[in-house]
Amino acid sequence: MINQLIQQLIDQAMEAALIEKEDEIYVRNQVMSLLHVTKFTVTGTLGEVNVEEIPEVLEQMVDYACGQGIIEDIFDEKEIFASKIMNCFIARPSTVNKLFFEKYQQSPKEATEYFYELSKNSNYIQMNRIRNNIEYKATTEYGELDITINLSKPEKDPKSIAREREAKQTAYPKCLLCVENEGYAGRSGHPARSNHRMIRVELLDQTWYLQYSPYVYYNEHCIVLSEEHRDMKINPDSFRRLLMFVDQFPHYFLGSNADLPIVGGSILSHDHYQGGNYEFAMAKAEDDWTFELAGFPAVQGSVVKWPMSVIRLRAKKSAMLMEAGSHILEKWKNYSDETVEIMAWTGETPHNTITPIARKRGEFFELDLVLRNNRTSNEHPLGIFHPHADVHHIKKENIGLIEVMGLAVLPARLKNELVEVENYILGREADVADYHLEWAEELKARYGADVSHGNVAAFVREEVGKKFLRVLEDAGVFKRNEAGRAGFERFIAAL
């Protein structure tokens, strides 16, 4: 059967345009070598067997390798082996880049579609795992928020965890985003990347690297990373790069996490951006009110109707937007208004920064500037403008770029925990986690009579959406109330 599996994988790879017919024998020999197979015959035809997709065939090959003692039945080893098999089917980076830019001459969209399909078909983007995520939309006054319960990252087995602890520490690659990950085999505690490719993109006379997130949260979820391993920094060059990128790829947005702890994303040690071919609720949100920016007559300014504090700038020339955005960033970094708890500094420690997002709409460039502050207090030790304690049972983690735009990435524990909440509301036997109990009692008291077995899941999902909306409201520096509106107007006036 291993010969059959090898042929199935080759045939699926040809159908997915990973390889050509002329590559068949070469690729077969490479895969046979990895599997320690010394002869090759296929009995019957593929039409007589169940032809599965690449991830399923690959999984069976990895199981075979474990059974034959080629690799140990340990998570990291299996990931490394699967990545090596798929690397046999992918061209070298120079060829991938050449093909990408040949297609780019036809259209930027055609180029990114090619690279996205390559990244999926090579199993670098593991779509079979991503399909495990629970995804739905929650309707709010600000539009439809995206809710994702993240089930795509499998839990590691105890052997893998133990091996990670024992593994010799190395600084190569320095982090998960470094360019040295391209083609890197992987090790205990560092993911397999043999089948990983990057596209070289010129931004401000520097080479940056376009790749896709291996666990995409939305369509064509990409990462654009610096060649140099350096800390993330929001400055005028950040705005220039974002706008330059969307000019090159006008069907994509590109944004950055903020550059301070608490309000930043998970990896602040490597300068990078995230983007993709997707329109979030924040991008669809309307203007709440507009303003003119002194000194920038060609730039249209508005405050967006969104639970977080967002300034949207529009202009036909990206240089104008960069200058206006830089002006706002410089003002905001030193802006305090104690009446709404905004303080820019504590001694030498800065608190104000921006989460920027760029996109292109027809002839106009847009730059969204989300105002952030990472100050803490005794009442809110994790952050004043961070999810507050009463929503931690749903979302406690930092609110990064993806959440800012309206997509909740929620922990896997909620899959089973929410079922217990549903059972509790229905009056069934339930094992509700302590941190959900107050919420579950409130929901049962308020809506119990109106909820049935047929609609309880939809009802709880809707309530989770409301919790995420609260998360975004907590993270907004100027609240959407009378005092917040007055505070926002004072800042705009200061510009």
Side-chain angles (χ1 to χ4, degrees):
M1 279 304 293
I2 189 58
N3 287 344
Q4 187 75 61
L5 288 173
I6 292 170
Q7 192 59 47
Q8 274 189 278
L9 188 60
I10 288 170
D11 287 353
Q12 291 288 19
M14 282 195 284
E15 190 174 326
L18 285 175
I19 60 172
E20 303 291 334
K21 183 66 178 174
E22 293 85 349
D23 301 318
E24 181 174 5
I25 294 172
Y26 168 82
V27 170
R28 179 203 298 159
N29 286 331
Q30 297 297 304
V31 176
M32 285 172 63
S33 175
L34 287 171
L35 290 163
H36 299 185
V37 173
T38 55
K39 59 182 180 180
F40 186 84
T41 54
V42 176
T43 57
T45 65
L46 286 183
E48 297 169 1
V49 298
N50 181 28
V51 179
E52 298 179 275
E53 293 184 353
I54 285 172
E56 284 72 32
V57 179
L58 194 58
E59 191 174 320
Q60 292 179 61
M61 284 183 166
V62 171
D63 288 344
Y64 171 87
C66 291
Q68 295 295 310
I70 298 167
I71 59 171
E72 283 192 64
D73 190 0
I74 294 175
F75 177 82
D76 286 330
E77 284 212 23
K78 292 194 287 186
E79 293 287 284
I80 289 168
F81 192 75
S83 181
K84 284 181 179 178
I85 290 175
M86 290 314 301
N87 186 47
C88 298
F89 294 86
I90 315 172
R92 290 182 178 180
S94 57
T95 303
V96 171
N97 275 261
K98 184 170 181 259
L99 279 167
F100 180 91
F101 284 105
E102 283 175 0
K103 293 178 184 296
Y104 184 89
Q105 299 308 312
Q106 302 303 313
S107 83
K109 195 168 188 291
E110 189 176 326
T112 55
E113 282 176 353
Y114 151 73
F115 187 45
Y116 191 54
E117 289 304 308
L118 174 72
S119 300
K120 288 190 295 183
N121 291 330
S122 65
N123 206 49
Y124 167 71
I125 299 176
Q126 302 202 23
M127 292 303 297
N128 59 327
R129 292 180 183 168
I130 292 163
R131 292 187 192 105
N132 293 326
N133 290 343
I134 296 171
E135 298 177 349
Y136 65 94
K137 292 184 182 292
T139 302
T140 73
E141 62 179 296
Y142 302 99
E144 289 190 321
L145 302 180
D146 291 296
I147 310 294
T148 296
I149 296 178
N150 182 17
L151 304 171
S152 57
K153 292 184 181 180
E155 292 185 15
K156 291 193 175 185
D157 52 77
K159 282 185 181 178
S160 292
I161 295 169
R163 184 172 285 195
E164 273 185 44
R165 292 198 189 103
E166 296 165 3
K168 185 179 178 181
Q169 296 300 308
T170 175
Y172 183 90
K174 291 187 182 72
C175 77
L176 295 174
L177 292 179
C178 279
V179 294
E180 289 82 10
N181 283 282
E182 188 175 42
Y184 183 66
R187 62 177 188 270
S188 291
H190 194 103
R193 291 290 181 258
S194 293
N195 56 340
H196 179 33
R197 301 293 183 267
M198 300 178 179
I199 301 298
R200 280 66 179 158
V201 179
E202 292 300 311
L203 298 174
L204 290 186
D205 298 322
Q206 293 178 342
T207 301
W208 283 60
Y209 294 78
L210 167 67
Q211 66 174 57
Y212 290 105
S213 168
Y215 293 101
V216 293
Y217 290 125
Y218 51 86
N219 187 49
E220 297 177 50
H221 176 185
C222 71
I223 298 169
V224 179
L225 54 96
S226 165
E227 185 170 42
E228 179 188 350
H229 179 77
R230 64 183 185 221
D231 289 348
M232 183 181 291
K233 196 71 183 166
I234 301 299
N235 56 32
D237 280 349
S238 307
F239 301 151
R240 285 191 187 95
R241 291 190 199 98
L242 295 178
L243 291 162
M244 189 176 289
F245 182 88
V246 298
D247 194 25
Q248 293 180 47
F249 300 94
H251 59 298
Y252 272 18
F253 77 89
L254 194 68
S256 175
N257 275 303
D259 55 354
L260 294 179
I262 297 177
V263 296
S266 57
I267 301 179
L268 299 182
S269 60
H270 195 113
D271 206 2
H272 72 284
Y273 311 123
Q274 293 184 75
N277 187 9
Y278 188 74
E279 190 172 42
F280 288 90
M282 194 184 87
K284 299 175 186 176
E286 300 174 350
D287 294 343
D288 200 8
W289 44 285
T290 61
F291 60 88
E292 293 181 2
L293 202 54
F296 302 95
V299 176
Q300 303 170 11
S302 66
V303 168
V304 180
K305 185 184 176 184
W306 190 247
M308 294 186 71
S309 306
V310 186
I311 294 173
R312 178 166 292 161
L313 304 177
R314 299 182 185 90
K316 288 189 175 181
K317 292 186 177 179
S318 61
M320 299 285 188
L321 278 193
M322 188 281 299
E323 291 175 14
S326 300
H327 170 65
I328 293 172
L329 174 65
E330 197 55 40
K331 283 284 186 182
W332 175 246
K333 284 167 76 170
N334 296 289
Y335 185 82
S336 294
D337 185 343
E338 293 189 31
T339 65
V340 286
E341 298 191 86
I342 295 169
M343 293 174 60
W345 297 86
T346 301
E348 298 295 311
T349 303
H351 296 304
N352 285 356
T353 186
I354 279 175
T355 298
I357 301 107
R359 69 184 71 86
K360 200 171 182 187
R361 293 193 195 276
E363 294 181 337
F364 281 83
F365 290 90
E366 283 186 356
L367 187 63
D368 285 354
L369 305 175
V370 188
L371 306 179
R372 313 298 304 275
N373 177 287
N374 78 341
R375 198 163 65 87
T376 61
S377 67
N378 291 332
E379 184 184 0
H380 302 294
L382 296 184
I384 297 170
F385 304 104
H386 179 85
H388 291 173
D390 61 327
V391 296
H392 285 177
H393 66 110
I394 297 295
K395 177 71 173 176
K396 187 178 182 179
E397 298 77 18
N398 292 2
I399 304 308
L401 173 67
I402 294 173
E403 285 88 2
V404 162
M405 295 185 292
L407 191 158
V409 181
L410 303 180
R413 61 177 172 81
L414 289 176
K415 178 186 177 183
N416 296 325
E417 291 176 359
L418 294 179
V419 171
E420 297 302 328
V421 172
E422 292 168 16
N423 288 334
Y424 186 87
I425 293 169
L426 292 171
R428 297 172 176 168
E429 186 178 339
D431 182 18
V432 177
D434 291 343
Y435 43 78
H436 289 312
L437 195 54
E438 184 180 344
W439 180 55
E441 288 173 347
E442 177 196 331
L443 296 182
K444 185 175 182 178
R446 195 168 7 133
Y447 301 115
D450 300 322
V451 175
S452 66
H453 172 73
N455 66 10
V456 68
F459 167 78
V460 170
R461 285 185 172 193
E462 181 183 335
E463 292 298 319
V464 169
K466 290 177 183 176
K467 285 283 183 178
F468 179 54
L469 176 55
R470 267 288 320 284
V471 163
L472 296 180
E473 289 170 342
D474 287 346
V477 292
F478 295 111
K479 304 304 180 189
R480 292 188 59 78
N481 54 30
E482 190 175 333
R485 169 71 181 242
F488 214 155
E489 288 179 349
R490 285 194 294 274
F491 176 63
I492 298 299
L495 297 175

